[in-house]
Amino acid sequence: DELLTLKRVLVGRRAAVDVEFAAPEVAGQAGVKIFVMCDSYLGCDQEFDLVFDVLEAESSESEDDDDDEDDNAMDQD
């Protein structure tokens, strides 16, 4: 278990918050637990278990080839 991110949010009646974190390196199911803590009212804390599918990274081989071509074009100038 590790803390991935900590974010303080000021809200009125409603809020939408983006939470970014790095996906696990291994493809398959992964899960995170999100704690929503209220520092103003007792009994408002919430806990959410999220499960998601981590997909294998797409090959960046074609991107590497494009970079090589760009480097070669610069060398010729």
Side-chain angles (χ1 to χ4, degrees):
D1 293 344
E2 66 180 297
L3 179 63
L4 299 176
T5 187
L6 182 64
K7 185 179 250 189
R8 184 179 179 109
V9 179
L10 300 174
V11 296
R13 292 183 152 264
R14 186 172 216 167
V17 177
D18 292 329
V19 178
E20 296 181 18
F21 57 92
E25 294 182 12
V26 179
Q29 280 199 335
V32 295
K33 184 175 292 233
I34 295 183
F35 294 95
V36 179
M37 312 296 280
C38 180
D39 64 355
S40 300
Y41 300 100
L42 290 174
C44 291
D45 298 342
Q46 296 182 27
E47 181 178 324
F48 300 95
D49 289 310
L50 302 178
V51 177
F52 53 93
D53 291 323
V54 177
L55 305 176
E56 287 191 30
E58 293 181 6
S59 174
S60 61
E61 196 171 300
S62 62
E63 292 176 11
D64 291 341
D65 291 342
D66 292 343
D67 290 343
D68 291 342
E69 289 173 10
D70 292 342
D71 291 343
N72 290 339
M74 287 182 180
D75 291 341
Q76 293 174 0
D77 289 340

Coordinates of all heavy atoms in Angstrom, one line a residue:
D1 N 0.8 -1.2 0.0 CA 0.0 0.0 0.0 C 0.9 1.2 0.0 O 1.9 1.3 0.7 CB -0.9 0.0 1.2 CG -1.9 -1.1 1.2 OD1 -2.1 -1.7 0.1 OD2 -2.5 -1.4 2.3
E2 N 0.5 2.2 -0.8 CA 1.2 3.5 -0.8 C 0.3 4.6 -1.2 O -0.7 4.4 -1.8 CB 2.4 3.4 -1.8 CG 1.9 3.3 -3.3 CD 3.1 3.2 -4.2 OE1 3.9 4.2 -4.3 OE2 3.3 2.2 -4.9
L3 N 0.6 5.8 -0.7 CA -0.2 7.0 -1.1 C 0.3 7.5 -2.4 O 1.4 7.8 -2.7 CB 0.1 8.1 0.0 CG -0.6 9.4 -0.2 CD1 -2.2 9.2 -0.2 CD2 -0.2 10.4 0.8
L4 N -0.7 7.5 -3.4 CA -0.3 7.9 -4.8 C -0.5 9.4 -4.9 O 0.3 10.0 -5.7 CB -1.2 7.2 -5.8 CG -1.1 5.7 -5.8 CD1 -2.2 5.1 -6.8 CD2 0.3 5.3 -6.2
T5 N -1.4 10.0 -4.3 CA -1.6 11.5 -4.5 C -2.4 12.0 -3.3 O -3.2 11.3 -2.7 CB -2.3 11.8 -5.8 OG1 -2.3 13.3 -6.0 CG2 -3.7 11.3 -5.9
L6 N -2.3 13.3 -3.0 CA -3.0 13.9 -2.0 C -3.4 15.3 -2.5 O -2.6 16.0 -3.1 CB -2.2 14.1 -0.7 CG -2.8 14.8 0.5 CD1 -3.9 13.9 1.0 CD2 -1.7 14.9 1.6
K7 N -4.7 15.6 -2.5 CA -5.2 16.8 -3.1 C -6.2 17.5 -2.2 O -7.2 16.8 -1.8 CB -5.8 16.5 -4.5 CG -6.2 17.7 -5.3 CD -6.8 17.2 -6.6 CE -5.8 17.6 -7.7 NZ -6.4 17.4 -9.0
R8 N -6.0 18.7 -1.9 CA -7.0 19.5 -1.1 C -7.9 20.2 -2.1 O -7.4 20.9 -3.0 CB -6.3 20.4 -0.2 CG -7.3 21.2 0.7 CD -6.6 22.1 1.7 NE -7.6 22.8 2.5 CZ -7.8 22.5 3.7 NH1 -7.1 21.7 4.4 NH2 -8.8 23.2 4.4
V9 N -9.2 20.1 -1.9 CA -10.1 20.7 -2.8 C -11.1 21.6 -2.0 O -11.7 21.1 -1.0 CB -10.9 19.7 -3.6 CG1 -11.9 20.3 -4.5 CG2 -10.0 18.8 -4.3
L10 N -11.3 22.8 -2.4 CA -12.4 23.7 -1.8 C -13.6 23.5 -2.7 O -13.6 23.7 -3.9 CB -11.9 25.1 -1.7 CG -10.6 25.3 -0.9 CD1 -10.2 26.8 -1.1 CD2 -10.8 25.0 0.5
V11 N -14.7 23.2 -2.0 CA -15.9 23.0 -2.8 C -17.1 23.8 -2.2 O -17.1 24.1 -1.0 CB -16.3 21.5 -2.8 CG1 -15.3 20.7 -3.5 CG2 -16.6 20.9 -1.4
G12 N -18.0 24.0 -3.1 CA -19.3 24.6 -2.7 C -20.3 23.5 -2.5 O -20.1 22.6 -1.7
R13 N -21.3 23.5 -3.4 CA -22.3 22.5 -3.3 C -21.8 21.2 -4.1 O -22.2 20.1 -3.7 CB -23.6 22.9 -3.9 CG -24.3 24.0 -3.1 CD -25.6 24.4 -3.8 NE -26.5 24.9 -2.7 CZ -27.4 24.1 -2.1 NH1 -27.5 22.9 -2.5 NH2 -28.2 24.6 -1.2
R14 N -21.0 21.4 -5.1 CA -20.7 20.3 -6.0 C -19.3 20.5 -6.6 O -18.9 21.7 -6.8 CB -21.7 20.2 -7.1 CG -21.6 19.0 -7.9 CD -22.7 18.9 -8.8 NE -23.0 17.5 -9.0 CZ -24.0 16.9 -9.5 NH1 -25.0 17.7 -9.9 NH2 -24.2 15.7 -9.6
A15 N -18.5 19.5 -6.8 CA -17.2 19.7 -7.4 C -16.9 18.4 -8.2 O -17.3 17.3 -7.9 CB -16.2 19.9 -6.3
A16 N -16.1 18.7 -9.3 CA -15.5 17.6 -10.1 C -14.0 17.8 -10.0 O -13.5 18.9 -10.2 CB -16.0 17.7 -11.5
V17 N -13.3 16.7 -9.7 CA -11.8 16.8 -9.5 C -11.2 15.7 -10.3 O -11.6 14.6 -10.3 CB -11.5 16.6 -8.0 CG1 -10.0 16.6 -7.8 CG2 -12.1 17.7 -7.2
D18 N -10.1 16.1 -11.0 CA -9.3 15.1 -11.8 C -8.2 14.6 -10.9 O -7.5 15.5 -10.3 CB -8.7 15.7 -13.0 CG -9.8 16.0 -14.1 OD1 -10.8 15.3 -14.1 OD2 -9.6 16.9 -14.8
V19 N -8.0 13.3 -10.7 CA -6.9 12.8 -10.0 C -6.1 11.9 -10.9 O -6.6 11.0 -11.5 CB -7.4 11.9 -8.8 CG1 -6.2 11.3 -8.0 CG2 -8.3 12.7 -7.9
E20 N -4.8 12.3 -11.1 CA -4.0 11.6 -12.0 C -2.9 10.7 -11.3 O -2.4 11.2 -10.2 CB -3.2 12.6 -12.9 CG -4.1 13.3 -13.8 CD -3.4 14.3 -14.8 OE1 -2.2 14.1 -14.9 OE2 -4.0 15.2 -15.3
F21 N -2.7 9.5 -11.8 CA -1.7 8.7 -11.2 C -1.1 7.8 -12.3 O -1.8 7.6 -13.3 CB -2.2 7.9 -10.0 CG -3.4 7.0 -10.4 CD1 -3.2 5.7 -10.8 CD2 -4.7 7.5 -10.3 CE1 -4.3 4.9 -11.1 CE2 -5.8 6.8 -10.6 CZ -5.6 5.5 -11.1
A22 N 0.1 7.2 -12.1 CA 0.7 6.3 -13.1 C 0.0 5.0 -13.0 O -0.2 4.4 -11.9 CB 2.2 6.2 -12.8
A23 N -0.3 4.4 -14.1 CA -0.9 3.1 -14.1 C 0.2 2.0 -13.8 O 1.4 2.3 -14.1 CB -1.5 2.8 -15.5
P24 N -0.2 0.9 -13.3 CA 0.8 -0.1 -13.0 C 1.5 -0.6 -14.3 O 0.9 -0.5 -15.4 CB 0.0 -1.3 -12.5 CG -1.3 -0.6 -11.9 CD -1.5 0.5 -12.8
E25 N 2.7 -1.0 -14.3 CA 3.4 -1.5 -15.5 C 2.9 -2.8 -16.0 O 3.2 -3.1 -17.2 CB 4.9 -1.5 -15.1 CG 5.5 -0.2 -14.8 CD 7.0 -0.3 -14.5 OE1 7.6 -1.3 -14.8 OE2 7.6 0.7 -14.0
V26 N 2.3 -3.6 -15.3 CA 1.8 -4.9 -15.7 C 0.3 -4.8 -16.1 O -0.5 -4.2 -15.4 CB 2.0 -5.9 -14.5 CG1 1.5 -7.3 -15.0 CG2 3.4 -6.0 -14.1
A27 N 0.0 -5.3 -17.3 CA -1.3 -5.3 -17.8 C -2.2 -6.2 -16.9 O -1.7 -7.2 -16.4 CB -1.4 -5.8 -19.2
G28 N -3.5 -5.9 -16.8 CA -4.4 -6.7 -16.1 C -5.3 -5.8 -15.2 O -5.3 -4.6 -15.3
Q29 N -6.0 -6.5 -14.3 CA -6.9 -5.7 -13.4 C -6.0 -5.0 -12.3 O -5.1 -5.7 -11.8 CB -8.0 -6.5 -12.8 CG -9.1 -6.7 -13.8 CD -10.4 -7.2 -13.0 OE1 -10.3 -7.7 -11.9 NE2 -11.5 -6.9 -13.6
A30 N -6.4 -3.8 -12.0 CA -5.7 -3.1 -10.9 C -6.8 -2.4 -10.1 O -7.9 -2.1 -10.6 CB -4.6 -2.2 -11.4
G31 N -6.4 -2.0 -8.9 CA -7.4 -1.3 -8.1 C -6.8 -0.2 -7.3 O -5.6 -0.2 -7.0
V32 N -7.6 0.8 -7.0 CA -7.2 1.9 -6.1 C -8.3 2.1 -5.1 O -9.4 1.8 -5.4 CB -6.8 3.2 -6.8 CG1 -5.6 3.0 -7.7 CG2 -8.0 3.7 -7.6
K33 N -7.9 2.6 -4.0 CA -8.9 3.0 -3.0 C -8.8 4.5 -2.8 O -7.7 5.1 -2.6 CB -8.6 2.3 -1.6 CG -9.6 2.6 -0.6 CD -9.3 1.8 0.7 CE -9.6 0.4 0.4 NZ -10.5 -0.3 1.3
I34 N -9.9 5.2 -2.9 CA -10.0 6.7 -2.8 C -10.7 7.0 -1.5 O -11.8 6.5 -1.2 CB -10.7 7.3 -4.0 CG1 -9.9 7.0 -5.3 CG2 -10.9 8.8 -3.8 CD1 -10.5 7.6 -6.5
F35 N -10.0 7.8 -0.7 CA -10.6 8.3 0.5 C -11.0 9.8 0.3 O -10.1 10.6 -0.1 CB -9.6 8.2 1.6 CG -9.3 6.8 2.0 CD1 -8.1 6.2 1.5 CD2 -10.0 6.1 2.9 CE1 -7.8 4.9 1.8 CE2 -9.7 4.8 3.2 CZ -8.6 4.2 2.7
V36 N -12.2 10.2 0.6 CA -12.6 11.5 0.5 C -12.9 12.0 2.0 O -13.7 11.4 2.7 CB -13.9 11.7 -0.3 CG1 -14.4 13.1 -0.3 CG2 -13.7 11.2 -1.7
M37 N -12.0 12.9 2.4 CA -12.1 13.3 3.8 C -12.6 14.7 4.0 O -12.1 15.6 3.2 CB -10.6 13.2 4.4 CG -9.9 11.9 4.1 SD -10.7 10.5 4.8 CE -10.1 10.6 6.5
C38 N -13.4 14.9 4.9 CA -14.0 16.3 5.2 C -13.4 16.8 6.5 O -13.4 16.1 7.5 CB -15.5 16.2 5.3 SG -16.2 17.8 5.6
D39 N -12.8 18.0 6.4 CA -12.2 18.6 7.6 C -13.2 19.5 8.3 O -12.8 20.2 9.3 CB -10.9 19.2 7.3 CG -11.0 20.4 6.4 OD1 -12.1 20.7 5.9 OD2 -10.0 21.1 6.2
S40 N -14.4 19.6 7.8 CA -15.4 20.6 8.4 C -16.5 19.9 9.1 O -17.0 20.5 10.1 CB -15.9 21.5 7.3 OG -14.9 22.2 6.6
Y41 N -16.9 18.7 8.7 CA -18.1 18.1 9.3 C -17.8 16.6 9.7 O -17.1 15.9 8.9 CB -19.3 18.1 8.3 CG -19.7 19.5 7.9 CD1 -19.3 20.0 6.7 CD2 -20.5 20.2 8.8 CE1 -19.7 21.3 6.4 CE2 -20.9 21.5 8.4 CZ -20.5 22.1 7.2 OH -20.9 23.3 6.9
L42 N -18.3 16.2 10.8 CA -18.1 14.8 11.2 C -19.1 13.9 10.4 O -20.2 14.4 10.1 CB -18.4 14.6 12.7 CG -17.4 15.2 13.6 CD1 -17.9 15.1 15.1 CD2 -16.1 14.5 13.5
G43 N -18.7 12.7 10.0 CA -19.5 11.8 9.3 C -19.6 12.0 7.8 O -20.4 11.3 7.2
C44 N -18.9 12.8 7.3 CA -18.9 13.1 5.8 C -17.8 12.3 5.1 O -17.8 12.4 3.8 CB -18.8 14.6 5.5 SG -20.3 15.5 6.0
D45 N -16.9 11.7 5.7 CA -15.8 11.0 5.1 C -16.4 9.8 4.3 O -17.3 9.2 4.7 CB -14.8 10.5 6.1 CG -14.1 11.6 6.9 OD1 -14.2 12.8 6.4 OD2 -13.6 11.3 7.9
Q46 N -15.8 9.6 3.1 CA -16.2 8.5 2.2 C -15.0 7.7 1.7 O -13.9 8.3 1.6 CB -17.1 9.0 1.1 CG -18.3 9.7 1.5 CD -19.1 10.2 0.3 OE1 -19.1 9.6 -0.8 NE2 -19.9 11.2 0.5
E47 N -15.3 6.5 1.3 CA -14.2 5.6 0.8 C -14.8 4.9 -0.4 O -15.9 4.4 -0.4 CB -13.9 4.6 1.9 CG -12.8 3.6 1.6 CD -12.5 2.7 2.8 OE1 -12.6 3.2 4.0 OE2 -12.3 1.5 2.6
F48 N -14.0 4.9 -1.5 CA -14.4 4.2 -2.7 C -13.3 3.2 -3.2 O -12.1 3.6 -3.2 CB -14.6 5.3 -3.8 CG -15.6 6.3 -3.5 CD1 -15.3 7.5 -3.0 CD2 -17.0 6.0 -3.7 CE1 -16.2 8.5 -2.7 CE2 -17.9 7.0 -3.4 CZ -17.6 8.2 -2.9
D49 N -13.7 2.0 -3.5 CA -12.8 1.1 -4.2 C -13.1 1.1 -5.7 O -14.2 0.8 -6.1 CB -13.0 -0.4 -3.6 CG -12.6 -0.5 -2.2 OD1 -11.4 -0.1 -1.9 OD2 -13.4 -1.0 -1.3
L50 N -12.0 1.4 -6.5 CA -12.2 1.4 -7.9 C -11.3 0.3 -8.5 O -10.1 0.1 -8.1 CB -11.7 2.8 -8.5 CG -12.5 4.0 -7.9 CD1 -11.9 5.2 -8.6 CD2 -13.9 3.9 -8.3
V51 N -11.9 -0.4 -9.4 CA -11.1 -1.5 -10.2 C -11.2 -1.1 -11.6 O -12.2 -0.7 -12.2 CB -11.8 -2.9 -9.9 CG1 -11.0 -3.9 -10.7 CG2 -11.8 -3.2 -8.5
F52 N -10.0 -1.2 -12.3 CA -9.9 -0.9 -13.7 C -9.0 -1.8 -14.4 O -8.2 -2.5 -13.8 CB -9.5 0.6 -13.9 CG -8.2 1.0 -13.2 CD1 -7.0 0.9 -13.9 CD2 -8.3 1.4 -11.9 CE1 -5.9 1.2 -13.2 CE2 -7.1 1.8 -11.3 CZ -5.9 1.7 -11.9
D53 N -9.1 -1.9 -15.7 CA -8.3 -2.7 -16.6 C -7.1 -1.9 -17.1 O -7.3 -0.9 -17.7 CB -9.1 -3.3 -17.8 CG -10.1 -4.3 -17.3 OD1 -9.8 -5.1 -16.4 OD2 -11.2 -4.4 -17.9
V54 N -5.9 -2.4 -16.9 CA -4.7 -1.8 -17.4 C -4.4 -2.5 -18.7 O -4.2 -3.8 -18.7 CB -3.5 -1.9 -16.4 CG1 -2.3 -1.3 -17.0 CG2 -3.9 -1.2 -15.1
L55 N -4.3 -1.8 -19.8 CA -4.0 -2.4 -21.1 C -2.5 -2.3 -21.3 O -1.8 -1.5 -20.8 CB -4.7 -1.6 -22.2 CG -6.2 -1.5 -22.0 CD1 -6.8 -0.6 -23.1 CD2 -6.8 -2.9 -22.0
E56 N -2.0 -3.2 -22.2 CA -0.6 -3.2 -22.5 C -0.3 -1.9 -23.3 O -1.1 -1.5 -24.1 CB -0.2 -4.4 -23.4 CG -0.2 -5.7 -22.5 CD 0.5 -6.9 -23.3 OE1 1.3 -6.6 -24.2 OE2 0.1 -8.0 -23.0
A57 N 0.9 -1.4 -23.1 CA 1.3 -0.2 -23.8 C 1.4 -0.5 -25.3 O 1.9 -1.6 -25.7 CB 2.6 0.4 -23.3
E58 N 1.0 0.5 -26.1 CA 1.1 0.3 -27.6 C 2.6 0.5 -27.9 O 3.3 1.2 -27.3 CB 0.3 1.4 -28.3 CG -1.2 1.2 -28.1 CD -2.0 2.2 -28.9 OE1 -1.4 3.0 -29.7 OE2 -3.2 2.2 -28.7
S59 N 3.0 -0.2 -29.0 CA 4.4 -0.2 -29.4 C 4.7 1.2 -29.9 O 4.0 1.8 -30.7 CB 4.7 -1.2 -30.5 OG 5.9 -1.1 -31.0
S60 N 5.8 1.8 -29.5 CA 6.2 3.1 -30.0 C 7.3 3.0 -31.0 O 8.1 3.9 -31.3 CB 6.7 4.0 -28.8 OG 7.8 3.3 -28.2
E61 N 7.4 1.8 -31.6 CA 8.5 1.5 -32.6 C 8.4 2.5 -33.8 O 9.3 3.1 -34.3 CB 8.3 0.1 -33.1 CG 9.5 -0.4 -33.9 CD 9.4 -1.9 -34.1 OE1 9.3 -2.7 -33.1 OE2 9.4 -2.3 -35.3
S62 N 7.1 2.7 -34.3 CA 7.0 3.6 -35.4 C 7.3 5.1 -35.0 O 7.9 5.8 -35.8 CB 5.5 3.6 -36.0 OG 4.6 4.0 -35.0
E63 N 7.0 5.5 -33.8 CA 7.4 6.8 -33.4 C 8.9 7.0 -33.3 O 9.5 8.0 -33.7 CB 6.9 7.1 -32.0 CG 5.3 7.2 -32.0 CD 4.8 7.4 -30.6 OE1 5.6 7.6 -29.6 OE2 3.6 7.3 -30.4
D64 N 9.7 5.9 -32.9 CA 11.1 5.9 -32.9 C 11.7 6.1 -34.3 O 12.6 6.8 -34.5 CB 11.7 4.7 -32.2 CG 11.4 4.6 -30.7 OD1 11.1 5.7 -30.1 OD2 11.4 3.5 -30.2
D65 N 11.1 5.4 -35.3 CA 11.5 5.5 -36.6 C 11.3 6.9 -37.2 O 12.2 7.5 -37.9 CB 10.8 4.5 -37.5 CG 11.1 3.1 -37.2 OD1 12.2 2.8 -36.6 OD2 10.4 2.2 -37.6
D66 N 10.2 7.5 -36.8 CA 9.9 8.9 -37.3 C 11.0 9.9 -36.7 O 11.4 10.8 -37.4 CB 8.5 9.4 -36.9 CG 7.4 8.6 -37.6 OD1 7.8 8.0 -38.7 OD2 6.3 8.7 -37.2
D67 N 11.3 9.7 -35.4 CA 12.3 10.5 -34.8 C 13.7 10.4 -35.5 O 14.4 11.4 -35.7 CB 12.5 10.2 -33.3 CG 11.3 10.6 -32.5 OD1 10.5 11.4 -33.0 OD2 11.1 10.1 -31.3
D68 N 14.1 9.2 -35.9 CA 15.3 8.9 -36.6 C 15.3 9.7 -37.9 O 16.3 10.3 -38.3 CB 15.6 7.4 -36.8 CG 15.8 6.7 -35.5 OD1 16.2 7.4 -34.5 OD2 15.7 5.5 -35.5
E69 N 14.2 9.6 -38.6 CA 14.1 10.3 -39.9 C 14.3 11.8 -39.7 O 14.9 12.5 -40.5 CB 12.8 10.0 -40.6 CG 12.7 8.5 -41.1 CD 11.3 8.2 -41.6 OE1 10.5 9.1 -41.8 OE2 11.1 7.0 -41.9
D70 N 13.6 12.4 -38.7 CA 13.7 13.8 -38.4 C 15.2 14.2 -38.1 O 15.7 15.2 -38.5 CB 12.8 14.2 -37.2 CG 11.4 14.1 -37.6 OD1 11.0 14.1 -38.8 OD2 10.5 14.1 -36.6
D71 N 15.9 13.3 -37.3 CA 17.3 13.6 -37.0 C 18.1 13.6 -38.2 O 19.0 14.4 -38.4 CB 17.8 12.6 -36.0 CG 17.1 12.7 -34.6 OD1 16.6 13.8 -34.3 OD2 17.2 11.7 -33.8
N72 N 17.9 12.6 -39.1 CA 18.7 12.5 -40.3 C 18.4 13.8 -41.2 O 19.4 14.3 -41.9 CB 18.3 11.3 -41.1 CG 18.8 10.0 -40.4 OD1 19.7 10.1 -39.6 ND2 18.2 8.9 -40.7
A73 N 17.2 14.3 -41.3 CA 16.9 15.4 -42.1 C 17.6 16.7 -41.5 O 18.1 17.5 -42.3 CB 15.4 15.7 -42.1
M74 N 17.8 16.8 -40.2 CA 18.5 17.9 -39.6 C 20.0 17.8 -39.9 O 20.6 18.9 -40.1 CB 18.3 17.9 -38.1 CG 16.9 18.4 -37.7 SD 16.8 18.4 -35.9 CE 15.2 18.9 -35.7
D75 N 20.5 16.6 -39.9 CA 21.9 16.4 -40.2 C 22.3 16.9 -41.6 O 23.4 17.4 -41.9 CB 22.4 15.0 -40.0 CG 22.3 14.6 -38.6 OD1 22.3 15.5 -37.7 OD2 22.2 13.3 -38.3
Q76 N 21.4 16.8 -42.6 CA 21.6 17.1 -44.0 C 21.6 18.6 -44.2 O 22.1 19.1 -45.2 CB 20.6 16.4 -44.9 CG 20.8 14.9 -44.9 CD 19.7 14.2 -45.6 OE1 18.8 14.8 -46.2 NE2 19.8 12.9 -45.7
D77 N 20.9 19.4 -43.3 CA 20.8 20.8 -43.5 C 22.1 21.5 -43.3 O 23.0 21.6 -42.9 CB 19.7 21.4 -42.6 CG 18.4 21.0 -43.0 OD1 18.2 20.6 -44.2 OD2 17.5 21.0 -42.2

